[in-house]
Amino acid sequence: MRDLNLARSADDRERFPVVIGDAGARDPVVTLTSLTKRYGDLVAVDELSFSLRPGTVTGFFGANGAGKTTTLRLLLGLAEPTSGEALVFGHRYRELDDPARRVGAVLESSDFHPGRSGRDHLRTLALAAEIPSTRVEEVLALVELAAAAHRRVQAYSLGMRQRLGLAGALLGNPQLLVLDEPANGLDPAGVHWLRRFLRDFAAQGRTVLVSSHMLAEAAQTVDDVVIIDHGRHVASGRLHELTGGERTLEDVYLGLTGGAA
Amino acid sequence: MTAELRSELLKQRSTRTGLGLFAGLLGLVLVAMLLHAYALPARILDSTSTQLMVFGRGGFLAILFAALLGALSITSEIRYGTIRSTFLVSPRRGRVIVAKVWASMLVGAAFGLAASALAAGVGTAALRARGIDVQLSGGDYALLIAGGAAAAGLWAAIGVGLGAVLRNQVPTLIGICAWLLFVEGLLAGDIAALGDVGRYLPGAAAAAISVQNADTLLSPVVGLVLLVIYATVAVLAGLLATARRDVA
Ligand SMILES: Nc1ncnc2c1ncn2[C@@H]1O[C@H](COP(=O)(O)OP(=O)(O)OP(=O)(O)O)[C@@H](O)[C@H]1O
Ligand SMILES: [Mg+2]
């Protein structure tokens, strides 16, 4: 299984529009190969291929409805691709052993039972993943939610929910973080904190895939960029290569997706 | 599997849903017993079979609430989106469903035990207070309570399976209530009127386990076996429905 994936990723290197990183050196953290998802006539994700370099933050950009969330759902085994495949650490997500210790993900900021406390929410996840409850307290402290942890989630602000979601993703101390618009609802201090956090995370050799519409903010955070439009790959590569050091990420993005001059 | 089961048991404990259902169940049992014991004419309440039928209302209400509890264990996760983090942590979805079945069966059986015991206790006391002789044996009481627990546990499993298939919370809960209160509720009152088929329906099979009545119900053992079959089919359908379908 592992050998097969390595062989294919080396083989696919030429076919990828841009292959980011040293895919042959070790198992790529994430590899999408011609990933496609159709909903009836609508092609939400269209032959999408890219891979992620370990130890980097990759920004995943595209207009509303471009297919970002769908791609992440396919990657995380929540939805089945129509064709193609998405591999995490060389495996389909649903075949990973102990996924919580390898991958942490947040797709929606509101995925909580309103009547359950933040702490109990994390405990249910920790029990399922066989993670000790001391770790629950650690991640609560990390996202600065310890004081509100006993309160029911219905009393949380949007930013607090984002933090709780992130705490859940971090429970297993994973090697890969997948975040869908995590800065949504965070206050300026929270955005700053998140940027620092993601940079530190990647500096430890771990990997982040983060979708966002906040290009100016993202440009300060990401190393690599993947841009999609109507489910299709538009551009990918290192941020500084795309911008050439002169244009802003926003200019590049709007130019490529036909948004404006 | 035990990890998922522990998680499911904490999910059950950490919201007020379970406690609210339990309180509602006991309240309804109390009301139902007092209504039956005081509203029915004494000469009807005199017979053992009527007494069993009346006390069996506790178990009947328990299967309804246990089914709602089981269904909620999956539909509320879908409604509030926690199903996403649940499946991210436990991508083997079958294990999650099976853990929900066991957890719901456990809580459901406790519902059945408490409701049947309360019904038998309050019912007996109310009849005696009215001067009506209660001729049930210790074995009758034991069957009422143990059978009520088993029936509610199995109906909790049916609820999980149904919730996993239907997924949408409100239709699922309404469906369960409509089935048990209207369709089978008629049968529970007067099964013979609807012919022989009625006794093979899942609500009647549940009643058969604890309420011995050869005229209208299957024998307890046959009722139990039949209900196990219904629960197994429901759980298998839920497993199938969950295995491949996309999570929104
Ligand atoms: N379950 C579904 N059934 C049908 N169509 C869907 C489904 N999920 C997504 N789509 C469609 O697929 C397309 C991509 O949606 P997706 O949510 O992936 O976009 P997105 O890039 O995340 O957008 P946004 O920036 O607004 O979050 C959209 O046209 C959407 O309507
Ligand atoms: Mg989206």
Side-chain angles (χ1 to χ4, degrees):
Chain A
M1 180 86 196
R2 185 162 286 242
D3 291 346
L4 211 82
N5 291 331
L6 276 177
R8 187 179 33 239
S9 64
D11 185 50
D12 278 352
R13 211 179 301 191
E14 295 159 30
R15 283 207 288 120
F16 286 161
V18 176
V19 165
I20 305 168
D22 45 354
R26 46 174 156 152
D27 258 0
V29 184
V30 166
T31 316
L32 308 192
T33 312
S34 303
L35 190 68
T36 301
K37 180 67 173 181
R38 292 174 196 278
Y39 292 107
D41 287 342
L42 181 93
V43 189
V45 179
D46 195 356
E47 300 276 329
L48 189 60
S49 301
F50 66 83
S51 58
L52 300 185
R53 287 192 298 150
T56 59
V57 180
T58 298
F60 190 29
F61 307 112
N64 292 131
K68 302 179 297 297
T69 302
T70 305
T71 302
L72 301 183
R73 283 170 55 230
L74 296 170
L75 178 66
L76 297 167
L78 294 175
E80 284 293 311
T82 309
S83 62
E85 71 179 356
L87 300 180
V88 207
F89 299 110
H91 299 272
R92 270 182 263 161
Y93 187 92
R94 287 176 69 176
E95 281 150 21
L96 280 178
D97 288 322
D98 217 355
R101 285 193 170 74
R102 309 199 74 179
V103 185
V106 187
L107 288 185
E108 294 280 338
S109 58
S110 56
D111 283 350
F112 312 105
H113 192 296
R116 186 176 285 133
S117 74
R119 179 176 280 117
D120 279 342
H121 171 79
L122 295 177
R123 280 185 179 159
T124 63
L125 298 177
L127 282 174
E130 298 187 272
I131 290 166
S133 59
T134 50
R135 179 68 186 158
V136 169
E137 301 308 316
E138 275 175 34
V139 293
L140 280 169
L142 188 66
V143 301
E144 295 167 17
L145 262 188
H150 67 283
R151 287 164 62 195
R152 292 197 270 157
V153 174
Q154 66 193 16
Y156 285 20
S157 69
L158 177 56
M160 289 163 81
R161 286 168 206 231
Q162 289 282 26
R163 288 160 195 263
L164 182 58
L166 193 60
L170 294 171
L171 268 177
N173 203 10
Q175 290 296 309
L176 167 67
L177 259 187
V178 178
L179 305 174
D180 198 6
E181 300 186 35
N184 216 350
L186 290 184
D187 57 27
V191 172
H192 176 78
W193 177 88
L194 182 67
R195 187 196 311 143
R196 287 276 305 274
F197 179 82
L198 296 183
R199 292 304 333 157
D200 289 349
F201 192 88
Q204 295 160 19
R206 302 192 276 181
T207 310
V208 180
L209 177 60
V210 53
S211 85
S212 179
H213 292 297
M214 299 177 180
L215 297 179
E217 162 53 33
Q220 299 182 57
T221 312
V222 307
D223 305 290
D224 293 344
V225 172
V226 174
I227 301 176
I228 63 170
D229 196 27
H230 293 97
R232 279 189 295 270
H233 175 276
V234 172
S236 55
R238 311 209 175 175
L239 174 66
H240 64 83
E241 286 172 6
L242 283 178
T243 58
E246 292 150 21
R247 301 156 72 204
T248 64
L249 177 57
E250 190 175 37
D251 291 340
V252 173
Y253 171 89
L254 293 175
L256 285 168
T257 57
Chain B
M1 180 58 228
T2 51
E4 281 90 357
L5 181 58
R6 283 200 196 103
S7 175
E8 289 305 323
L9 287 170
L10 179 58
K11 284 177 194 169
Q12 298 265 9
R13 287 201 308 276
S14 56
T15 70
R16 291 179 185 172
T17 309
L19 212 61
L21 284 173
F22 190 59
L25 169 62
L26 295 188
L28 271 180
V29 168
L30 215 58
V31 172
M33 281 312 107
L34 295 177
L35 279 178
H36 278 90
Y38 286 104
L40 290 178
R43 70 187 149 72
I44 291 181
L45 284 171
D46 227 14
S47 85
T48 317
S49 66
T50 309
Q51 289 170 2
L52 277 171
M53 202 68 114
V54 168
F55 298 170
R57 300 304 286 175
F60 168 75
L61 288 168
I63 66 171
L64 173 64
F65 279 71
L68 297 179
L69 178 99
L72 278 165
S73 76
I74 177 92
T75 60
S76 87
E77 286 224 44
I78 292 165
R79 172 166 177 208
Y80 294 119
T82 52
I83 194 71
R84 276 183 278 268
S85 43
T86 295
F87 283 163
L88 285 177
V89 173
S90 312
R92 273 104 177 150
R93 298 180 187 174
R95 291 192 196 172
V96 174
I97 299 298
V98 171
K100 283 185 187 300
V101 169
W102 286 121
S104 300
M105 283 183 74
L106 205 72
V107 181
F111 276 25
L113 197 80
S116 306
L118 182 70
V122 171
T124 303
L127 291 188
R128 292 222 169 105
R130 247 184 102 179
I132 296 166
D133 190 23
V134 180
Q135 307 115 335
L136 301 185
S137 68
D140 293 333
Y141 281 113
L143 192 63
L144 263 178
I145 293 168
L154 289 166
W155 259 93
I158 293 178
V160 176
L162 220 55
V165 170
L166 297 178
R167 298 203 282 186
N168 204 328
Q169 179 151 299
V170 175
T172 305
L173 301 188
I174 290 179
I176 289 169
C177 290
W179 179 264
L180 282 173
L181 293 175
F182 299 111
V183 185
E184 289 225 36
L186 294 170
L187 309 181
D190 190 6
I191 293 167
L194 281 136
D196 217 33
V197 189
R199 66 177 73 194
Y200 295 100
L201 295 173
I209 301 174
S210 49
V211 181
Q212 310 154 68
N213 188 330
D215 293 340
T216 57
L217 294 169
L218 299 168
S219 76
V221 173
V222 177
L224 180 66
V225 170
L226 188 58
L227 196 58
V228 167
I229 293 171
Y230 276 120
T232 307
V233 169
V235 170
L236 287 177
L239 284 170
L240 264 172
T242 318
R244 291 199 65 85
R245 272 201 257 169
D246 288 355
V247 176

